[in-house]
Amino acid sequence: MEQTSRISLRPLITPFNMILGIIIAMGCIITILRFTGGLAAVTHLDDNNPWGIWIGFDLLCGVALAAGGYTTSAACYIFGLKRFHAAVRPAILTAFLGYALVVLALHYDVGRPWRLPFPIFWQQGTTSLLFEVGLCVFLYLSVLFVEFTPAAFEWLGFSKIRAFIVKLTLVLTILGVVLSTLHQSSLGALYTIVPSKLHPLWYSGYLPVYFFVSSIFAGLSMVIFEGSLAHKYLHHKMDETHIKEAHGVILGFGKSASFIMAGYLAIKIIGLSVDNNWHYLFTDYGAWFLIELIGFVALPSFVYAIGVREKNIRLIQWTSLWTVFGIVLNRFNVSLIAFNWQLSSAERYFPGWMEIAISLFIVAIGIVAYRLATHFLPILHEHPEYQAH
Amino acid sequence: METIFYTLQDFLTHSKGITYLIMGGILVFMPLYWLFLTDRDEKKETY
Amino acid sequence: MTISRRKFLGWFGGGLSATAVSAAGTAMAGGNHHFEGHPDTMGVLHDISRCIGCRKCEEACNRVNELPKPEKPFDDLSVLDKKRRTHASYYTVVNRFEVDSKPVFVKKQCNHCMEPACASACFVRAFQKTPNGPVVYDESVCVGCRYCMIACPFNIPAYEYDDALSPAVTKCTLCAPRIQKGQLPGCVESCPKEALIFGNRKQLIKIARERINKYPERYIDHIYGEHEMGGTSWLYISNVAFSKIGMREDLGTTSAPQLTSGPLAAVPIVVGLWPVLLTGIYAISQRKDKVAAEEQAEAVASAKAAADEEMKQQIAGVKKQAAKEKEAAIKKEVKKALEAAAKEAEEKNAEAPEKKEE
């Protein structure tokens, strides 16, 4: 415990940290511009394209990739797969930071962020899928926060309250899965209201199912990917259990992800068939759709399978990154590329550099927060006084 | 609740509002019911 | 095993929400309801064949709503050279299209849908279809999420992106305060060609139908807005095909609330059933672990017992062996002693005859 709570003597001025610093500084400046000049000063949003990458990336991708929290805790506590236990706390930390940053990003995107509590506490638009998203994200962020606190309480030494919260683990996990199912699927359902604006290959009555199922393997892949990064750069923070269980997590999650992706491929094909959209496959958008489906779902699913069969850890790790790109591609397709596909190219949206800078700013904050948390708190190692929770 | 709904939008606003409240109730009721159901099971060790 | 359970869950969940979700909005939250809209809904009939593109309606709208004056004045018709859409402070625009080398003018503004997509989409209920007809916007609760702009199939709502602190959504109000007082909407009043008529929607549809029937060579046989997206209060009849004048004919007749009613219906089912399923999985995996632990304990115990038994047998065997060996050793010694004695006796005998011979 002595070693972990003192600031490490490793030098902080690394090239990576300098880049993070620049991104964060730029982000602060652009924040001022955003709130003095309005969205027009900082984004390329317009009346035809009211949602850009702050929704397409920060909200849609952010939520999908933070899904490791509910999938890992479900695997460990509901399905009883205790060998994944070491992966739970990092996953919960990532999810908690992820959702908190999504809420931060929303403060940039909506016109009057101080009114964000309105739909929940003042006037409820209950017919809106966005209401559903907002309510569930709000509740789930609270659940994640509570699930995160035992690590903080161990560090602070509040053992009584820590014990109480640990007793709630199962209820919180189940609630987490319920809320995650709801908001992951509702993000997809947002687009069910615009069949006339979303390309038929991506529009489907099954959009909620697609978003939910893909969030599962997005989460599993992110846990593999982040775990691999943590092993490389935060190895000194890990205890024996964590290091020992790592390969089991990679193999187990790779196996699940592979199979779930196969199921996802199946229901995507069913969606094509149900709406009889085969002829669209022979268009330019069709080619792009096939690139997404074959190149970023079918192939990584298969390569995951090879990695699992051969017990090839490296292969699974690279495939997890590949899969994560696939998820980002899918969310971008639904929200930015296949959306408004019928507008002329002059009317289409492309992000401004400041929009991109803010998205990077938010990711940078996440990285810094993650590193601070894993440095001070028992996330990658167990607190000596609270063994095997 | 005999108000006539002229539009689907009005109908859904009304029905969904009630539905959300019921959902909240379910999320409170189910854990309590589970505790009631498993009250007399033999105790299992928890950490 | 457990992993196939997760897959099963994924499928089951997918199946459940899929049955609640419809591919084309025919399912409704479980029931079979039919809605006709408010009986006294007012509307406007726009006869496109009569529009001359004078833009007096735009000017009236700007005046009546006290909007900021645009750069180019309203009598500058060069503005029609470019296609325009509604914009912050431009609630309505007139566009010119060239169809068969002839100019056709169309006015565009909020259609005040019978089942508005904006109202369905808004998560703070900032939009409402009033019984009179207008779909009104309440700026005082708007958070600025702009989902209404995504949802509107006609791309009408605009946003004040330049405003940092109080940006609002803007669109035609059907002059709700004016029609409450019995006045006409600004645009309708100012139109010199009666290309706009205000009245009860059902009446307007009758009038439109009559006009089409009376002059079949003049009008396309379709009242735009009668059924599109579930019907709109703003109706159009035209002398040219609607798709040629920027009006989409592929929107379908399913309203936005109906399109999202499927996903909305799935939500409470998840809340009702997921806790049961997940707790069930937990209980089964706990039971499995418990049985596995019991079986393991049993296996350990019986292995131990078998080992003990084997040990006992081995010891007994060893004991027996030892006893045997002892007996054999004794026998051997006895035999040795006897042999020694016999040998001794033999030697004595051998000595004795020798003595006799001497």
Side-chain angles (χ1 to χ4, degrees), chain A residues 73-74 77-80 168-178, chain B residues 26-38 41 44, chain C residues 5 8-9 12 270-288:
Chain A
S73 53
Y77 298 124
I78 298 178
F79 291 85
L168 298 176
T169 301
L170 181 65
V171 170
L172 289 174
T173 304
I174 291 179
L175 190 55
V177 177
V178 171
Chain B
I26 292 174
L27 287 174
V28 170
F29 169 74
M30 288 308 269
L32 297 175
Y33 191 65
W34 172 255
L35 289 173
F36 169 71
L37 182 60
T38 57
D41 288 357
K44 182 180 67 78
Chain C
R5 252 186 250 137
F8 166 77
L9 193 65
F12 190 70
V270 171
V271 172
L273 289 187
W274 255 224
V276 176
L277 279 169
L278 296 169
T279 310
I281 293 172
Y282 167 76
I284 292 174
S285 91
Q286 288 299 107
R287 170 117 194 100
K288 210 159 175 270

Side-chain angles (χ1 to χ4, degrees), chain A residues 48 115 124 128 190 205 342, chain C residues 21 85 121 125 142 147 248:
Chain A
N48 283 332
R115 287 189 181 172
Q124 298 77 22
S128 167
L190 286 178
Q342 288 168 327
Chain C
V21 163
R85 60 151 283 163
R125 273 193 352 252
C142 177
Y147 186 32
R248 290 184 64 166

Side-chain angles (χ1 to χ4, degrees), chain C residues 82-307:
Chain C
K82 278 215 302 249
K83 299 289 177 293
R84 298 173 297 151
R85 60 151 283 163
T86 52
H87 191 62
S89 309
Y90 291 80
Y91 295 179
T92 184
V93 290
V94 175
N95 279 315
R96 182 183 69 224
F97 295 87
E98 297 287 330
V99 182
D100 298 328
S101 342
K102 285 207 284 284
V104 179
F105 302 94
V106 195
K107 177 181 184 297
K108 189 203 315 231
Q109 72 300 303
C110 174
N111 287 325
H112 300 276
C113 303
M114 301 302 280
E115 301 278 6
C118 52
S120 174
C122 182
F123 70 165
V124 270
R125 273 193 352 252
F127 289 95
Q128 209 199 355
K129 173 76 169 175
T130 56
N132 250 8
V135 174
V136 294
Y137 163 72
D138 179 359
E139 191 186 328
S140 73
V141 294
C142 177
V143 181
C145 74
R146 308 184 302 284
Y147 186 32
C148 54
M149 297 168 71
I150 295 275
C152 177
F154 303 106
N155 281 324
I156 293 301
Y159 198 62
E160 294 171 335
Y161 288 108
D162 289 318
D163 193 326
L165 295 175
S166 57
V169 173
T170 66
K171 73 171 189 70
C172 160
T173 60
L174 235 190
C175 290
R178 282 173 64 99
I179 66 178
Q180 284 265 337
K181 286 188 281 191
Q183 291 173 299
L184 289 172
C187 53
V188 174
E189 200 176 56
S190 69
C191 179
K193 288 294 182 181
E194 277 185 32
L196 299 168
I197 324 174
F198 175 78
N200 175 286
R201 181 180 185 265
K202 292 207 189 101
Q203 286 286 65
L204 292 175
I205 291 178
K206 283 210 185 90
I207 293 171
R209 192 42 59 198
E210 275 164 20
R211 219 177 271 186
I212 293 174
N213 288 341
K214 204 162 170 198
Y215 304 105
E217 72 291 344
R218 185 181 164 90
Y219 291 105
I220 300 286
D221 183 15
H222 182 64
I223 304 172
Y224 193 97
E226 190 180 0
H227 297 298
E228 278 78 357
M229 296 303 297
T232 60
S233 281
W234 212 284
L235 304 157
Y236 305 76
I237 50 177
S238 168
N239 51 326
V240 299
F242 290 100
S243 53
K244 296 212 174 100
I245 49 176
M247 296 171 71
R248 290 184 64 166
E249 296 195 71
D250 60 344
L251 294 176
T253 58
T254 313
S255 69
Q258 195 143 339
L259 287 167
T260 58
S261 69
L264 276 177
V267 166
I269 296 296
V270 171
V271 172
L273 289 187
W274 255 224
V276 176
L277 279 169
L278 296 169
T279 310
I281 293 172
Y282 167 76
I284 292 174
S285 91
Q286 288 299 107
R287 170 117 194 100
K288 210 159 175 270
D289 283 349
K290 185 162 166 234
V291 168
E294 277 172 8
E295 283 180 357
Q296 191 183 54
E298 211 188 284
V300 165
S302 72
K304 187 161 181 294

Side-chain angles (χ1 to χ4, degrees), chain A residues 66-86:
Chain A
Y70 84 89
T71 48
T72 311
S73 53
C76 181
Y77 298 124
I78 298 178
F79 291 85
L81 302 170
K82 300 212 173 60
R83 65 185 185 278
F84 297 143
H85 183 256

Side-chain angles (χ1 to χ4, degrees), chain A residues 42-64:
Chain A
V42 163
T43 70
H44 281 181
L45 300 172
D46 61 22
D47 291 328
N48 283 332
N49 300 287
W51 283 357
I53 59 165
W54 289 349
I55 296 293
F57 177 72
D58 293 83
L59 175 62
L60 294 183
C61 295
V63 170

